[in-house]
Amino acid sequence: MKNIPDFVLVRPQMGENIGAAARAMLNFGLDRMSVVAPRDGWPNERAVAMASGAGRVLDGARLSATTAEAVADCAMVFATTARDRDLTKPVYSPEAAMIEARDRIARGERVAILFGPERTGLENDDVARANAIVSVPTNPDFPSLNLAQCVLLMGYEWRRAIAAPAAQTMEMAGTDFANHAELEALAAHYEERLDTAGFFFPEGKAPAMKRHLRNLWSRMPLTRADVQTFHGMMRQMVRWKERG
């Protein structure tokens, strides 16, 4: 068994949405799709056209006549829905649901996520077969998500659950961050030239002004290329002044 959840599209109405869902799934390393009673039959040419390179997800999709059949071998089933239901069930955020799915799959359980048809979403009979509900914090005045959008969102949360990306990275573009010696040399260069220009005035405030300037350099995340640029700027300004 693959260590990924089943994404179950229940009675999808448009082939284009099935294809877009397949593409969204493959974006996040998911290819276990089940299709329950698609309105326009199966296979669907419009789904293939819309999948745009994710055709293998459609090729491997399981076709089921009912939701019960699609989830028969699953130990945990989540139902995605934006509507209030007259059913007592635990409600998960997308993030928490995918963490739970990850942990259960790691224990050898099979997990499914149900997605409803475009016009109405999942029916209560479908939701009743789920162990829990997944609720997306959408605008309460416009809560409905397109089928492929909902698949994309859950696929993204799955990917985060198994390989959380760094919140922020830095592209260094062929350089490294400046070390303290390089920052010290830059600070000394500016301090010397600014002192010559009479910047540190009055004399009694000069120590505090120099300390403030050094603190500015140390606070800035400068690369070695940045440091060389600042040195060059100051040298050019001095040359321009001397020519004048």
Side-chain angles (χ1 to χ4, degrees):
M1 184 183 78
K2 291 184 177 180
N3 294 324
I4 56 175
D6 290 32
F7 275 33
V8 182
L9 312 187
V10 179
R11 297 181 297 279
Q13 297 170 300
M14 298 177 63
E16 292 86 348
N17 281 334
I18 301 173
R23 184 174 181 178
M25 287 175 61
L26 198 56
N27 282 150
F28 298 104
L30 297 161
D31 61 5
R32 191 188 288 278
M33 174 186 281
S34 291
V35 184
V36 177
R39 183 190 66 183
D40 296 336
W42 194 258
N44 187 295
E45 292 182 0
R46 286 176 294 186
V48 174
M50 192 67 182
S52 185
R56 68 184 181 89
V57 177
L58 301 178
D59 292 341
R62 295 195 308 169
L63 180 64
S64 301
T66 65
T67 302
E69 178 185 335
V71 302
D73 56 354
C74 294
M76 180 71 179
V77 178
F78 292 96
T80 61
T81 180
R83 292 191 286 135
D84 291 334
R85 305 288 182 167
D86 188 23
L87 297 167
T88 301
K89 285 191 184 294
V91 179
Y92 287 71
S93 69
E95 179 182 17
M98 291 299 92
I99 291 173
E100 178 75 13
R102 177 201 65 194
D103 294 345
R104 285 177 173 271
I105 290 171
R107 296 197 296 265
E109 299 179 17
R110 190 158 186 165
V111 176
I113 319 297
L114 302 181
F115 301 88
E118 295 90 323
R119 187 174 64 85
T120 60
L122 292 168
E123 295 179 359
N124 279 351
D125 285 347
D126 300 310
V127 179
R129 288 184 166 83
N131 303 101
I133 287 172
V134 180
S135 180
V136 179
T138 53
N139 176 3
D141 296 326
F142 193 63
S144 181
L145 291 175
N146 171 272
L147 171 59
Q149 290 175 330
C150 192
V151 168
L152 180 73
L153 186 151
M154 296 303 293
Y156 169 72
E157 291 296 350
W158 167 255
R159 196 69 178 178
R160 289 184 66 225
I162 63 171
Q168 179 181 343
T169 60
M170 178 70 73
E171 291 291 340
M172 297 306 294
T175 188
D176 295 314
F177 282 113
N179 59 35
H180 278 270
E182 290 162 334
L183 291 177
E184 182 67 22
L186 179 64
H189 183 190
Y190 269 71
E191 187 175 304
E192 177 188 356
R193 293 304 183 182
L194 291 172
D195 199 10
T196 301
F199 176 76
F200 300 112
F201 179 86
E203 186 177 347
K205 292 186 178 180
M209 295 173 70
K210 292 178 180 179
R211 186 166 54 248
H212 177 77
L213 185 61
R214 284 177 178 266
N215 185 58
L216 181 150
W217 294 123
S218 66
R219 193 172 68 244
M220 296 171 66
L222 296 176
T223 66
R224 287 175 170 170
D226 296 332
V227 168
Q228 292 305 313
T229 298
F230 276 111
H231 278 301
M233 289 166 56
M234 178 57 79
R235 284 193 294 267
Q236 188 60 31
M237 286 189 290
V238 170
R239 291 191 191 107
W240 173 79
K241 178 64 175 177
E242 290 174 348
R243 285 199 301 268

